[in-house]
């Protein structure tokens, strides 16, 4: 009885009063080494082994913590606080990391962020500001606050330190696959392009630049696809997709430059919101894991038969080596949100 009480008490103390000791003895990094799971059902669909890099199981609910943890370690140690603009998940990562570092966090989100995300950010101890309609509006405010309040600005996708942090997921996946296996292709979602840049960086670090990347977006949150088609970065008029966490109006310059690089194969593809939602639902049914629409875009590459089509078109090799799917995760989803999306997208 006494020991249970003490356990609860010490937990409570650790959570609410991070001591100066806790600040000094922080672990090497904030992210976890996530599982690499083989999916039998998805493998059957694609005709090659599908491996899922389960970034949904990160403490902040998505891969974002890799890059943001790395960036904050480098830039925010002496800071009086951090400010991050976000569709939701970058904010969750920044709030988590700031709490662990004993720093205040301000997260600026657009009005399109679901109420539940705002609640989760507040539960992490962050101050939340709701500014504008899309991420770009929120970002302008975050930059202003960084300037006027002297806070450390944490970008959600456009910074080399973020890409370095994200690259660790590829090194981990390679370690899980073992020395004799390399992926036939990697599937990622693209919002502002930070994840894509991290994956490219990770492949480069391993000398795997010949591994093609399938870069997935939804129609209406497709700034990377628009840039690839135009041959230059393009600013979308609006974000009309429900995959709000893919909703940057302009892709970062580095992601665009990688798309033009002859050393790399990056295949940019789109799915509809309906297809992304169907992927989220199928993934929940078959793998028992709930992810948000932003992640559904990547999963839809498997569930819509896109990978097979790319093989038929000769844009991916046949036979194809193991397919590495980055399950980027996301916390902007719960059962209520899922049923709202169903109603919205099925009428
Ligand atoms: N979300 C960013 C940008 O939003 C954010 O603020 O959270 N998958 C999930 C679950 C994401 O949350 C994001 C980005 C992506 C994929 C795409 O990553 P990116 O932006 O690095 O390409 C506007």
């Amino acid at each position: 009885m006494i020991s249970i009480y003490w356990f609860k008490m010490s937990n409570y103390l650790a959570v609410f009063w991070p001591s100066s000791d806790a600040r000094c003895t922080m672990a090497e990094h904030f992210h976890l080494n996530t599982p690499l799971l083989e999916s039998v059902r998805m493998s059957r669909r694609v005709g090659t082994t599908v491996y899922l890099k389960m970034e949904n199981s990160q403490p902040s609910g998505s891969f974002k913590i890799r890059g943001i943890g790395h960036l904050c370690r480098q830039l925010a140690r002496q800071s009086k606080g951090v400010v991050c603009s976000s569709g939701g998940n970058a904010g969750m990562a920044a709030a988590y990391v700031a709490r662990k570092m004993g720093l205040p966090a301000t997260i600026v989100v657009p009005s399109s962020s679901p109420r539940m995300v705002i609640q989760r950010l507040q539960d992490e101890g962050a101050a939340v500001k709701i500014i504008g309609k899309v991420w770009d509006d929120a970002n302008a405010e975050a930059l202003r606050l960084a300037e006027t309040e002297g806070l450390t600005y944490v970008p959600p996708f456009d910074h080399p330190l973020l890409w370095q942090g994200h690259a660790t997921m590829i090194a981990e996946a390679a370690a899980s696959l073992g020395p004799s296996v390399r992926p036939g292709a990697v599937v990622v979602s693209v919002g502002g392009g930070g994840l894509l840049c991290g994956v490219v960086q990770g492949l480069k670090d391993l000398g795997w630049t010949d591994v093609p990347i399938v870069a997935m977006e939804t129609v209406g949150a497709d700034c990377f696809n628009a840039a690839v088609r135009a041959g230059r970065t393009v600013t979308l008029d609006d974000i009309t997709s429900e995959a709000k966490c893919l909703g940057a109006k302009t892709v970062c310059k580095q992601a665009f430059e990688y798309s033009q690089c002859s050393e790399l194969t990056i295949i940019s593809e789109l799915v509809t919101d309906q297809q992304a939602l169907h992927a989220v639902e199928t993934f929940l049914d078959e793998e028992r894991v709930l992810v948000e629409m932003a992640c559904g875009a990547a999963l839809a590459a498997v569930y819509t038969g896109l990978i097979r089509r790319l093989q038929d078109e000769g844009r991916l090799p046949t036979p194809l080596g193991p397919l590495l799917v980055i399950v980027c995760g996301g916390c902007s989803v719960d059962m209520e949100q899922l049923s709202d999306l169903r109603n919205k997208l099925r009428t």
Side-chain angles (χ1 to χ4, degrees):
M1 196 60 190
I2 288 170
S3 64
I4 290 172
Y5 176 73
W6 170 243
F7 171 77
K8 282 190 177 157
M9 203 45 201
S10 55
N11 247 359
Y12 180 76
L13 289 170
V15 170
F16 291 102
W17 283 291
S19 64
S20 52
D21 265 346
R23 280 182 182 214
C24 310
T25 57
M26 285 180 308
E28 264 307 292
H29 41 63
F30 298 103
H31 67 263
L32 300 179
N33 188 337
T34 55
L36 187 74
L37 301 181
E38 181 184 334
S39 166
V40 172
R41 296 262 185 110
M42 289 173 115
S43 301
R44 207 174 293 145
R45 282 189 167 90
V46 182
T48 187
T49 311
V50 173
Y51 288 106
L52 304 168
K53 185 65 176 152
M54 300 300 280
E55 291 299 294
N56 61 295
S57 57
Q58 291 291 356
S60 68
S62 81
F63 72 96
K64 291 271 175 184
I65 193 167
R66 292 182 184 267
I68 287 178
H70 183 57
L71 181 135
C72 288
R73 273 191 176 285
Q74 307 291 318
L75 304 184
R77 276 183 191 277
Q78 309 300 327
S79 170
K80 59 187 244 202
V82 302
V83 59
C84 175
S85 55
S86 177
N89 295 308
M92 283 300 295
Y96 175 88
V97 168
R99 180 166 64 78
K100 292 288 174 187
M101 291 178 80
L103 296 171
T106 304
I107 312 299
V108 192
V109 296
S111 58
S112 56
S113 295
R115 212 169 357 105
M116 154 264 296
V117 169
I118 292 157
Q119 185 60 52
R120 285 186 185 174
L121 288 167
Q122 288 167 340
D123 291 347
E124 267 300 344
V128 181
K129 283 190 93 174
I130 304 164
I131 302 284
K133 192 172 160 247
V134 297
W135 170 81
D136 299 70
D137 307 329
N139 190 46
E141 172 65 4
L143 287 166
R144 194 192 65 78
L145 283 174
E147 183 76 25
T148 56
E149 313 279 316
L151 300 172
T152 304
Y153 170 67
V154 178
F157 53 79
D158 194 4
H159 198 290
L161 290 171
L162 297 178
W163 311 330
Q164 243 176 45
H166 297 339
T168 57
M169 81 179 71
I170 299 298
E172 266 174 32
S176 304
L177 287 171
S180 58
V181 184
R182 73 155 66 192
V186 184
V187 182
V188 294
S189 299
V190 180
L195 175 57
L196 175 61
C197 290
V199 166
V200 171
Q201 167 104 49
L203 293 174
K204 279 184 168 204
D205 293 345
L206 292 165
W208 285 0
T209 46
D210 55 329
V211 174
I213 300 172
V214 183
M216 300 297 299
E217 297 173 284
T218 50
V219 175
D222 46 2
C223 62
F224 181 63
N225 190 263
V228 170
R229 277 188 292 117
R232 61 182 166 80
T233 55
V234 171
T235 299
L236 304 175
D237 291 336
D238 197 5
I239 302 299
T240 52
S241 167
E242 292 299 328
K244 298 301 176 197
C245 275
L246 298 185
K249 285 194 195 172
T250 318
V251 78
C252 68
K253 194 160 148 273
Q254 181 65 77
F256 171 69
E257 280 172 6
Y258 281 147
S259 78
Q260 304 295 297
C261 172
S262 58
E263 195 197 348
L264 299 163
T265 305
I266 302 179
I267 303 169
S268 167
E269 290 288 331
L270 301 180
V271 287
T272 62
D273 274 4
Q274 282 80 4
Q275 288 171 321
L277 177 60
H278 181 254
V280 167
E281 292 173 337
T282 312
F283 198 66
L284 178 59
D285 276 348
E286 294 190 357
E287 312 294 333
R288 305 167 311 284
V289 176
L290 180 58
V291 294
E292 67 173 69
M293 289 282 280
C295 182
L299 303 175
V302 170
Y303 293 129
T304 60
L306 172 74
I307 300 295
R308 281 203 187 249
R309 177 164 65 74
L310 292 173
Q311 287 184 277
D312 292 345
E313 291 169 2
R315 295 165 71 201
L316 282 178
T318 307
L320 184 65
L323 188 68
L324 174 60
V325 178
I326 307 299
V327 182
C328 43
C331 61
S332 311
V333 66
D334 58 12
M335 292 310 285
E336 193 184 329
Q337 179 74 8
L338 196 58
S339 82
D340 284 356
L341 283 167
R342 273 189 176 151
N343 292 336
K344 232 184 234 175
L345 297 174
R346 297 242 163 100
T347 45

